Amino acid sequence: MAKKEIIESILIPEDKLLKRVAELGEEINRDFEGEEVLLVGLLKGSVIFLSDLARKIKLPCMLDFMSVTSYGNDIESSGEVRFLKDLDSDINGKNVIIVEDIIDTGLTLREVIKVLKARNPKTLKVCTLLNKVSRRLVDVEVDYNGFDIPDAFVVGYGLDYAQKYRNLNYIGILKLIDE
Ligand code: IMP
Ligand code: MG
């Protein structure tokens, strides 16, 4: 049966997102005072968050991107991670901050951390906009966390369902209903 997609409710409105992103930027400014940072965005979900966050960072700052995907359908990840695009830059000796849209099971991030750690960055931190704590299957250390959210499928502000809804300026809860 065909499913209809509806935004059931707004979980985090734009003003709250922007306020929290500014706070995360300030935390990073404080923690890395006098240093340079490299933001590593995980495509594509992190791009909206990363572009707002980067503009709150007052340190010398570089941007790079990698693309990973987990096998599975649109709503549930299978836990197997596939690397689609690597970084352009060498992270050896750099202060690397992985910027992620959402941590769900933690499986994606665990693989990314493993790969990046092996390249000997000076420091490696994790910054996520959203954190679905109750869904965690593997432990990952989160250094900068925007919001803990309940176990619901969310879209907007970079997050997608079947590549749509990334352009919403808020985080909304998506429901699929039978037509
Ligand atoms: P994890 O490997 O289970 O932690 O999954 C992380 C990835 O799954 C995120 O980077 C998202 O791309 C995707 N994801 C997990 N939960 C959601 C959600 O509620 N909405 C949209 N994407 C999600
Ligand atoms: Mg993602």
Side-chain angles (χ1 to χ4, degrees):
M1 203 187 323
K3 301 266 191 194
K4 188 173 169 204
E5 300 160 23
I6 54 157
I7 305 285
E8 188 197 51
S9 59
I10 295 180
L11 185 63
I12 313 172
E14 184 180 27
D15 58 333
K16 286 217 174 107
L17 285 170
L18 296 181
K19 181 165 175 283
R20 187 69 190 121
V21 172
E23 288 170 359
L24 292 174
E26 280 158 24
E27 276 185 54
I28 292 170
N29 290 333
R30 245 182 283 127
D31 292 352
F32 288 94
E33 204 187 327
E35 307 233 12
E36 208 174 82
V37 295
L38 169 64
L39 302 184
V40 167
L42 300 188
L43 296 172
K44 303 169 193 152
S46 72
V47 294
I48 309 278
F49 171 42
L50 184 141
S51 68
D52 282 339
L53 178 69
R55 284 175 287 176
K56 297 296 174 190
I57 292 181
K58 304 302 173 196
L59 311 163
C61 178
M62 289 171 294
L63 311 181
D64 205 344
F65 297 92
M66 69 195 294
S67 179
V68 298
T69 182
S70 53
Y71 292 97
N73 59 33
D74 286 321
I75 294 237
E76 286 282 332
S77 115
S78 69
E80 249 180 291
V81 176
R82 193 157 44 117
F83 285 79
L84 302 178
K85 183 213 172 289
D86 202 349
L87 298 174
D88 295 331
S89 53
D90 182 4
I91 64 167
N92 186 357
K94 304 242 167 79
N95 293 311
V96 175
I97 304 174
I98 300 170
V99 179
E100 177 60 307
D101 51 358
I102 184 166
I103 308 177
D104 186 28
T105 61
L107 291 161
T108 307
L109 207 56
R110 181 179 64 177
E111 293 309 305
V112 171
I113 290 171
K114 207 189 289 171
V115 167
L116 296 189
K117 246 194 194 143
R119 298 181 188 175
N120 298 312
K122 182 177 177 190
T123 58
L124 184 61
K125 304 280 182 196
V126 171
C127 176
T128 188
L129 177 70
L130 306 175
N131 192 6
K132 269 191 211 168
V133 193
S134 67
R135 296 253 314 157
R136 201 58 43 83
L137 294 179
V138 295
D139 216 26
V140 285
E141 206 177 313
V142 182
D143 303 282
Y144 305 100
N145 181 20
F147 302 89
D148 285 336
I149 64 162
D151 179 12
F153 193 82
V154 292
V155 294
Y157 198 65
L159 289 101
D160 74 305
Y161 172 69
Q163 301 302 326
K164 291 178 292 184
Y165 305 105
R166 296 191 196 276
N167 58 316
L168 300 180
N169 62 6
Y170 57 85
I171 298 285
I173 296 180
L174 185 85
K175 280 278 146 73
L176 299 180
I177 50 174
D178 293 326
E179 279 192 302

